[in-house]
Amino acid sequence: MPLDILVGAQWGDEGKGRITDWLAERANIVARYSGGDNAGHTVTVGGQIFKLHLLPSGIVQPKAACVLGNGMVINPARLLDEMDTLAKLNMDVSPARIKISAAAHLITPAHVALDRAEETARAGGKIGTTGRGIGPAYTAKTSRHGLRAELLLEPERLGDAIHEHIQQTNVYLQSLYGQAPLEAGAVAAEYAAHAQRLAPYITDTSLYLHQQLQAGATVIAEGAQGTLLDIDHGTYPYVTSSSPTSGGVFSGLGVGPRFVGRIIGVTKAFQTRVGEGPFPTEAFGAEAERLRGTGQNPWDEFGTTTGRPRRCGWLDLVLLRYAIRVNGLTELALTKLDVLSGLKTVPLCNAYSAHPQTHTELPLGPADLSPFKAVYEELPGWEEAVSGARALANLPANARHYIRRIEELTGVPVTMISVGPEREQIIFTA
Ligand code: IMP
């Protein structure tokens, strides 16, 4: 089947980039359907590290075409920076290869300023946003004041729209948040320059994808963030403002479900989260530090976008089963198994206790996890490093047991296991 979906099954940062990179080698098109430059996807090829925020991870492959779908919010300055960086590495970033949906929304400095002002004003109740203007851009979209990418094709309309948008936002910035106003003329001039460069990329990407799928192309829908950050299905209000779950693919790309094949959920072999919000299996102190790493390696648990240390803990199967249900996952890709080598036992959370009951499913969804205490199975650990393993049989018996237990308790097969950052450090089980 030609439309394969790849989503984050946790709070983002699951290592989706490298799984997409592998799938992209066999695909014709990689399409992002939600979010913006709040995402940070790291792909390591031959020791060279690519950090992508807006372009689909498929761009690192020489052939796959890349689509930025209508469900995205795009900061043009950051997109152009990313394209320029890749162009210097001799990658093809031409309009023949990259298509931007005319219906995607644009992020401006006003959205960024509002995001930061709102976050500061939240004082104790901070969400811990990435400060990239994501929430305000989606708010503008749903309140029908948004700036769609199609404006980049019409310089005069774009100029008028930017002036109006900056003037409106200044009212909020000044009167609600006591911030300095932005200069509409300067932003309009900046966006006129962006428009000149980006206009050739603007496409009806729904039509493009439909035609390609009809012709038999393989398309990967690449999720950003993760299920638990979904505006509807996540740990609300500690979520992002888009729909990273599989349902978001159809609205975010303008394609129907009839083409769907695999729905792959990417999960780390443990659990991480950035920003605020509940985290029942969170570890602290030396345990957390061990999972996080020192920050010396780019794959250690520090945010790709913000550099913030990630909160770390143990794999939570109550939340993973929830992600499997919400996304209709057909398989799991398990990443960073190598990080667990050397532990005496590996805790695996299969239930929550909330006195006097135990829950193996969330009774009311994940919004309020605060009443729950994680209940763990302690599985035997393994001493051996696993980064050289390329087949299931090369893994220590206890590592295989850990994977089997995840499959048993979720009912979904683990088809890919990553054991290191490099492209070839993946085990395929099927
Ligand atoms: P926003 O998307 O910048 O509005 O941030 C909302 C929440 O989502 C914050 O907790 C962020 O840390 C989190 N978030 C947004 N994007 C990512 C991501 O790509 N990985 C992990 N967390 C993210």
Side-chain angles (χ1 to χ4, degrees), residues 307-347:
R308 291 180 287 182
R310 295 180 187 140
R311 297 156 68 193
C312 295
W314 307 110
L315 186 59
D316 185 331
L317 296 186
V318 180
L319 294 179
L320 187 55
R321 279 192 293 267
Y322 173 76
I324 289 167
R325 167 157 58 88
V326 169
N327 292 293
L329 300 182
T330 59
E331 58 194 282
L332 290 169
L334 192 69
T335 59
K336 297 192 83 166
L337 183 72
D338 49 307
V339 171
L340 298 183
S341 287
L343 291 168
K344 231 185 187 63
T345 58
V346 188

Side-chain angles (χ1 to χ4, degrees), residues 7-10 227-228 245-246 263-267 316-333 361 406-414:
V7 297
Q10 299 173 307
T227 302
L228 298 168
T245 46
S246 59
I263 309 177
I264 305 165
V266 186
T267 173
D316 185 331
L317 296 186
V318 180
L319 294 179
L320 187 55
R321 279 192 293 267
Y322 173 76
I324 289 167
R325 167 157 58 88
V326 169
N327 292 293
L329 300 182
T330 59
E331 58 194 282
L332 290 169
E361 294 292 337
I406 295 168
E407 293 182 323
E408 280 167 8
L409 294 172
T410 61
V412 173
V414 173

Side-chain angles (χ1 to χ4, degrees), residues 227-397:
T227 302
L228 298 168
L229 290 173
D230 186 279
I231 184 75
D232 290 288
H233 302 294
T235 47
Y236 194 89
Y238 301 103
V239 292
T240 189
S241 302
S242 65
S243 303
T245 46
S246 59
V249 170
F250 311 113
S251 59
L253 291 180
V255 294
R258 62 185 270 233
F259 294 106
V260 174
R262 305 163 74 180
I263 309 177
I264 305 165
V266 186
T267 173
K268 276 183 192 150
F270 49 101
Q271 198 95 12
T272 63
R273 155 160 230 183
V274 256
E276 306 304 319
F279 184 170
T281 60
E282 185 163 12
F284 298 94
E287 265 191 348
E289 270 164 39
R290 197 193 165 292
L291 294 171
R292 187 178 299 122
T294 56
Q296 264 154 15
N297 301 309
W299 51 87
D300 286 345
E301 298 294 349
F302 291 79
T304 315
T305 300
T306 59
R308 291 180 287 182
R310 295 180 187 140
R311 297 156 68 193
C312 295
W314 307 110
L315 186 59
D316 185 331
L317 296 186
V318 180
L319 294 179
L320 187 55
R321 279 192 293 267
Y322 173 76
I324 289 167
R325 167 157 58 88
V326 169
N327 292 293
L329 300 182
T330 59
E331 58 194 282
L332 290 169
L334 192 69
T335 59
K336 297 192 83 166
L337 183 72
D338 49 307
V339 171
L340 298 183
S341 287
L343 291 168
K344 231 185 187 63
T345 58
V346 188
L348 187 59
C349 167
N350 188 40
Y352 294 154
S353 75
H355 188 72
Q357 280 176 305
T358 300
H359 300 275
T360 49
E361 294 292 337
L362 294 167
L364 277 179
D368 186 10
L369 297 174
S370 56
F372 302 122
K373 214 169 150 333
V375 179
Y376 294 104
E377 278 188 26
E378 292 288 339
L379 301 191
W382 55 95
E383 272 305 318
E384 304 88 325
V386 297
S387 43
R390 295 292 175 271
L392 211 48
N394 303 145
L395 290 177

